[in-house]
Amino acid sequence: MNDSFDDDMASTRPEDKTERRSLPSTQDAVDNKKSEVTIHELRQFDDFPEWINPESLANFLYESLKPYEDPLPVVRQGMFDALEPSNGEPGFVLVAEIDQKVVGALLMLRTGMKGYIPENLLLMVAVDPSTRGKGVGAQIIKRSFELADGDVKLHVEYDNPAKRLYERLGMTSKYAEMRYNK
Ligand SMILES: CC(C)(COP(=O)(O)OP(=O)(O)OC[C@H]1O[C@@H](n2cnc3c(N)ncnc32)[C@H](O)[C@@H]1OP(=O)(O)O)[C@@H](O)C(=O)NCCC(=O)NCCS
């Protein structure tokens, strides 16, 4: 694993790129208290807040993506490709926080293409199981659409209920994704 994944990566703190947003008023605050979701926008590994490091965020994603999880090394690779790609430009990572606890995360990659393929790939999004159904996922995804320069694509299993959420947020599915695996 690349050294950037060490806790040391959290040593240099970025300028504050956080944005405070309240949960939708129609929804109960998480844990029945007036909690606020903070969405952190990370553009490089140095942007990690001090209370979370890349490895623990990868673990959060791996655990929270279940039962649609990718293997942990794939999650780590996705985070690298979002923040320090070996080719092309970086995308970004969003971390949703309540009281210094990660409740959601999203990885957005640049595809390097445009027109025939959207410029951005929403690779992974997950919300902590205890926090689901309260609007956090919609909030992070909407934020990612605002931040992404250009169109966004993603793939989702046909049976994943997240598909309904994506459709509610305006995504359409004109093509079936097909793969030839080697
Ligand atoms: C998909 C996910 C990020 C949505 O986050 P969320 O905070 O629960 O989403 P919201 O509260 O904004 O919206 C709820 C919607 O999420 C979808 N959803 C998917 N799994 C859900 C779950 N376990 N509980 C509640 N909603 C879920 C539903 O479409 C729901 O909308 P509905 O009322 O029409 O059924 C979250 O459920 C999750 O982490 N799922 C597991 C990982 C995953 O499947 N990621 C996407 C891979 S493509």
Side-chain angles (χ1 to χ4, degrees):
M1 200 69 237
N2 186 313
D3 288 338
S4 307
F5 240 86
D6 290 343
D7 292 6
D8 294 353
M9 283 311 301
S11 58
T12 326
R13 295 300 149 218
E15 68 217 79
D16 191 2
K17 292 184 181 172
T18 61
E19 180 177 323
R20 294 228 161 237
R21 293 181 162 203
S22 298
L23 284 167
S25 55
T26 50
Q27 310 211 357
D28 291 331
V30 176
D31 294 334
N32 295 323
K33 59 178 184 174
K34 280 202 169 170
S35 299
E36 267 194 342
V37 176
T38 304
I39 298 182
H40 298 261
E41 176 193 341
L42 319 180
R43 295 275 177 177
Q44 53 189 351
F45 279 102
D46 281 350
D47 289 348
F48 269 82
E50 72 283 351
W51 46 268
I52 177 98
N53 60 59
E55 184 59 25
S56 52
L57 188 65
N59 273 305
F60 168 86
L61 272 167
Y62 172 69
E63 291 296 334
S64 304
L65 280 163
K66 289 178 180 173
Y68 302 101
E69 80 277 15
D70 291 300
L72 188 53
V74 174
V75 178
R76 290 191 187 111
Q77 186 62 53
M79 197 179 297
F80 262 100
D81 290 342
L83 298 177
E84 271 184 18
S86 47
N87 289 309
E89 52 182 321
F92 57 85
V93 172
L94 296 184
V95 177
E97 172 219 344
I98 295 178
D99 298 336
Q100 300 210 336
K101 180 176 178 290
V102 179
V103 294
L106 177 150
L107 306 183
M108 186 77 83
L109 276 57
R110 296 291 286 171
T111 64
M113 292 176 272
K114 187 175 180 171
Y116 40 90
I117 296 285
E119 296 93 318
N120 304 281
L121 168 65
L122 198 170
L123 183 69
M124 292 172 194
V125 57
V127 166
D128 184 276
S130 66
T131 313
R132 286 185 195 158
K134 296 169 191 279
V136 175
Q139 204 175 334
I140 317 174
I141 295 165
K142 276 195 237 167
R143 182 84 182 117
S144 79
F145 290 169
E146 290 162 13
L147 289 169
D149 183 9
D151 296 342
V152 177
K153 71 172 196 149
L154 58 76
H155 65 256
V156 58
E157 298 79 0
Y158 288 109
D159 66 344
N160 188 336
K163 190 164 176 285
R164 281 201 306 274
L165 173 62
Y166 299 145
E167 285 164 351
R168 267 212 317 274
L169 295 176
M171 298 198 90
T172 55
S173 174
K174 187 174 168 191
Y175 308 101
E177 188 193 70
M178 298 181 76
R179 295 182 181 185
Y180 180 75
N181 293 316
K182 288 189 177 177

